[in-house]
Short mmCIF file of all heavy atoms in Angstrom, two decimals:
data_model
loop_
_atom_site.label_atom_id
_atom_site.label_comp_id
_atom_site.label_asym_id
_atom_site.label_seq_id
_atom_site.Cartn_x
_atom_site.Cartn_y
_atom_site.Cartn_z
N PHE A 12 58.98 149.78 170.16
CA PHE A 12 57.84 149.01 169.66
C PHE A 12 56.56 149.34 170.40
O PHE A 12 55.48 149.43 169.82
CB PHE A 12 58.16 147.50 169.74
CG PHE A 12 57.18 146.65 169.02
CD1 PHE A 12 57.29 146.46 167.68
CD2 PHE A 12 56.16 146.02 169.72
CE1 PHE A 12 56.36 145.66 166.98
CE2 PHE A 12 55.22 145.21 169.04
CZ PHE A 12 55.35 145.01 167.68
N PHE A 13 56.67 149.47 171.70
CA PHE A 13 55.47 149.67 172.54
C PHE A 13 55.24 151.13 172.98
O PHE A 13 54.40 151.38 173.85
CB PHE A 13 55.52 148.78 173.80
CG PHE A 13 55.27 147.35 173.50
CD1 PHE A 13 56.33 146.43 173.59
CD2 PHE A 13 54.03 146.89 173.16
CE1 PHE A 13 56.10 145.06 173.31
CE2 PHE A 13 53.79 145.55 172.88
CZ PHE A 13 54.85 144.63 172.97
N LEU A 14 55.98 152.08 172.42
CA LEU A 14 55.84 153.47 172.90
C LEU A 14 54.42 153.98 172.83
O LEU A 14 53.93 154.62 173.75
CB LEU A 14 56.81 154.38 172.11
CG LEU A 14 57.01 155.78 172.70
CD1 LEU A 14 57.55 155.70 174.12
CD2 LEU A 14 57.95 156.59 171.84
N GLY A 15 53.73 153.69 171.74
CA GLY A 15 52.36 154.13 171.59
C GLY A 15 51.45 153.52 172.65
O GLY A 15 50.64 154.21 173.29
N ASN A 16 51.61 152.23 172.86
CA ASN A 16 50.82 151.51 173.83
C ASN A 16 51.09 152.00 175.27
O ASN A 16 50.20 152.18 176.09
CB ASN A 16 51.10 150.01 173.76
CG ASN A 16 50.13 149.18 174.56
OD1 ASN A 16 48.92 149.48 174.59
ND2 ASN A 16 50.63 148.13 175.18
N ILE A 17 52.38 152.26 175.54
CA ILE A 17 52.78 152.80 176.84
C ILE A 17 52.12 154.15 177.07
O ILE A 17 51.60 154.44 178.14
CB ILE A 17 54.31 152.83 176.96
CG1 ILE A 17 54.90 151.44 177.01
CG2 ILE A 17 54.72 153.66 178.19
CD1 ILE A 17 56.41 151.37 176.83
N GLY A 18 52.19 155.02 176.04
CA GLY A 18 51.58 156.34 176.15
C GLY A 18 50.10 156.29 176.42
O GLY A 18 49.57 157.04 177.24
N ILE A 19 49.40 155.39 175.74
CA ILE A 19 47.94 155.26 175.94
C ILE A 19 47.67 154.81 177.37
O ILE A 19 46.78 155.34 178.05
CB ILE A 19 47.36 154.23 174.92
CG1 ILE A 19 47.37 154.84 173.52
CG2 ILE A 19 45.97 153.81 175.33
CD1 ILE A 19 47.11 153.86 172.40
N ASN A 20 48.45 153.86 177.89
CA ASN A 20 48.28 153.42 179.28
C ASN A 20 48.64 154.46 180.29
O ASN A 20 48.23 154.36 181.45
CB ASN A 20 49.04 152.11 179.51
CG ASN A 20 48.41 150.93 178.80
OD1 ASN A 20 47.21 150.86 178.66
ND2 ASN A 20 49.21 150.00 178.39
N LEU A 21 49.48 155.43 179.89
CA LEU A 21 49.78 156.56 180.75
C LEU A 21 48.64 157.59 180.74
O LEU A 21 48.70 158.58 181.42
CB LEU A 21 51.11 157.21 180.36
CG LEU A 21 52.36 156.40 180.69
CD1 LEU A 21 53.60 157.06 180.04
CD2 LEU A 21 52.56 156.26 182.18
N GLY A 22 47.64 157.34 179.89
CA GLY A 22 46.51 158.26 179.81
C GLY A 22 46.55 159.29 178.73
O GLY A 22 45.81 160.26 178.70
N PHE A 23 47.48 159.15 177.77
CA PHE A 23 47.61 160.12 176.69
C PHE A 23 46.49 159.95 175.66
O PHE A 23 46.20 158.86 175.23
CB PHE A 23 48.95 159.95 175.98
CG PHE A 23 50.13 160.45 176.77
CD1 PHE A 23 50.05 160.83 178.08
CD2 PHE A 23 51.38 160.51 176.17
CE1 PHE A 23 51.14 161.27 178.80
CE2 PHE A 23 52.50 160.94 176.85
CZ PHE A 23 52.38 161.32 178.19
N LYS A 24 45.90 161.09 175.27
CA LYS A 24 44.96 161.07 174.12
C LYS A 24 45.81 161.29 172.87
O LYS A 24 47.03 161.50 172.95
CB LYS A 24 43.95 162.21 174.28
CG LYS A 24 43.15 162.12 175.55
CD LYS A 24 42.31 160.84 175.62
CE LYS A 24 41.48 160.76 176.91
NZ LYS A 24 40.93 159.45 177.14
N LEU A 25 45.14 161.26 171.71
CA LEU A 25 45.87 161.29 170.44
C LEU A 25 46.74 162.54 170.31
O LEU A 25 47.90 162.45 169.91
CB LEU A 25 44.89 161.24 169.26
CG LEU A 25 45.53 161.25 167.87
CD1 LEU A 25 46.48 160.08 167.69
CD2 LEU A 25 44.47 161.26 166.79
N ASP A 26 46.24 163.73 170.68
CA ASP A 26 47.02 164.94 170.53
C ASP A 26 48.28 164.91 171.41
O ASP A 26 49.37 165.24 171.00
CB ASP A 26 46.18 166.18 170.81
CG ASP A 26 45.53 166.17 172.19
OD1 ASP A 26 45.47 165.09 172.83
OD2 ASP A 26 45.13 167.24 172.67
N LYS A 27 48.11 164.42 172.64
CA LYS A 27 49.26 164.34 173.55
C LYS A 27 50.23 163.25 173.11
O LYS A 27 51.44 163.39 173.25
CB LYS A 27 48.76 164.08 174.97
CG LYS A 27 49.82 164.36 176.01
CD LYS A 27 49.37 164.02 177.41
CE LYS A 27 48.62 165.17 178.03
NZ LYS A 27 48.35 164.94 179.48
N MET A 28 49.68 162.16 172.53
CA MET A 28 50.54 161.08 172.04
C MET A 28 51.44 161.60 170.89
O MET A 28 52.61 161.26 170.83
CB MET A 28 49.69 159.91 171.50
CG MET A 28 49.36 158.85 172.53
SD MET A 28 50.78 158.10 173.28
CE MET A 28 51.70 157.54 171.91
N LEU A 29 50.83 162.39 169.98
CA LEU A 29 51.62 162.92 168.87
C LEU A 29 52.74 163.82 169.42
O LEU A 29 53.86 163.79 168.90
CB LEU A 29 50.69 163.67 167.90
CG LEU A 29 49.74 162.80 167.10
CD1 LEU A 29 48.77 163.66 166.32
CD2 LEU A 29 50.51 161.88 166.18
N LEU A 30 52.40 164.66 170.39
CA LEU A 30 53.36 165.57 170.97
C LEU A 30 54.46 164.77 171.70
O LEU A 30 55.67 165.08 171.62
CB LEU A 30 52.70 166.53 171.91
CG LEU A 30 53.53 167.73 172.36
CD1 LEU A 30 54.10 168.52 171.18
CD2 LEU A 30 52.68 168.68 173.24
N PHE A 31 54.06 163.74 172.40
CA PHE A 31 54.95 162.83 173.12
C PHE A 31 55.96 162.24 172.13
O PHE A 31 57.20 162.27 172.35
CB PHE A 31 54.16 161.74 173.80
CG PHE A 31 54.94 160.78 174.62
CD1 PHE A 31 55.70 161.15 175.72
CD2 PHE A 31 54.91 159.41 174.31
CE1 PHE A 31 56.37 160.23 176.49
CE2 PHE A 31 55.60 158.46 175.08
CZ PHE A 31 56.32 158.88 176.16
N ALA A 32 55.48 161.68 171.00
CA ALA A 32 56.32 161.08 169.99
C ALA A 32 57.26 162.14 169.36
O ALA A 32 58.43 161.84 169.08
CB ALA A 32 55.50 160.40 168.93
N LEU A 33 56.72 163.36 169.17
CA LEU A 33 57.54 164.41 168.55
C LEU A 33 58.67 164.83 169.45
O LEU A 33 59.82 165.00 169.00
CB LEU A 33 56.63 165.61 168.25
CG LEU A 33 57.25 166.73 167.42
CD1 LEU A 33 57.65 166.26 166.04
CD2 LEU A 33 56.27 167.88 167.30
N VAL A 34 58.39 164.95 170.76
CA VAL A 34 59.43 165.30 171.74
C VAL A 34 60.52 164.24 171.75
O VAL A 34 61.70 164.53 171.72
CB VAL A 34 58.87 165.48 173.14
CG1 VAL A 34 59.97 165.60 174.20
CG2 VAL A 34 57.98 166.74 173.20
N VAL A 35 60.12 162.95 171.73
CA VAL A 35 61.10 161.86 171.73
C VAL A 35 61.95 161.93 170.45
O VAL A 35 63.20 161.83 170.49
CB VAL A 35 60.40 160.48 171.83
CG1 VAL A 35 61.38 159.35 171.56
CG2 VAL A 35 59.76 160.31 173.20
N ALA A 36 61.29 162.11 169.29
CA ALA A 36 62.01 162.12 168.02
C ALA A 36 62.98 163.32 167.89
O ALA A 36 64.15 163.13 167.52
CB ALA A 36 61.02 162.16 166.86
N ILE A 37 62.53 164.49 168.30
CA ILE A 37 63.41 165.67 168.18
C ILE A 37 64.56 165.57 169.16
O ILE A 37 65.73 165.80 168.79
CB ILE A 37 62.61 166.96 168.46
CG1 ILE A 37 61.66 167.23 167.26
CG2 ILE A 37 63.53 168.15 168.65
CD1 ILE A 37 60.67 168.34 167.48
#
Side-chain angles (χ1 to χ4, degrees):
F12 190 82
F13 287 109
L14 192 59
N16 191 39
I17 291 167
I19 289 167
N20 287 328
L21 288 171
F23 286 8
K24 302 298 182 194
L25 181 59
D26 57 343
K27 196 183 274 189
M28 271 302 305
L29 291 172
L30 193 55
F31 181 62
L33 189 63
V34 169
V35 170
I37 290 172

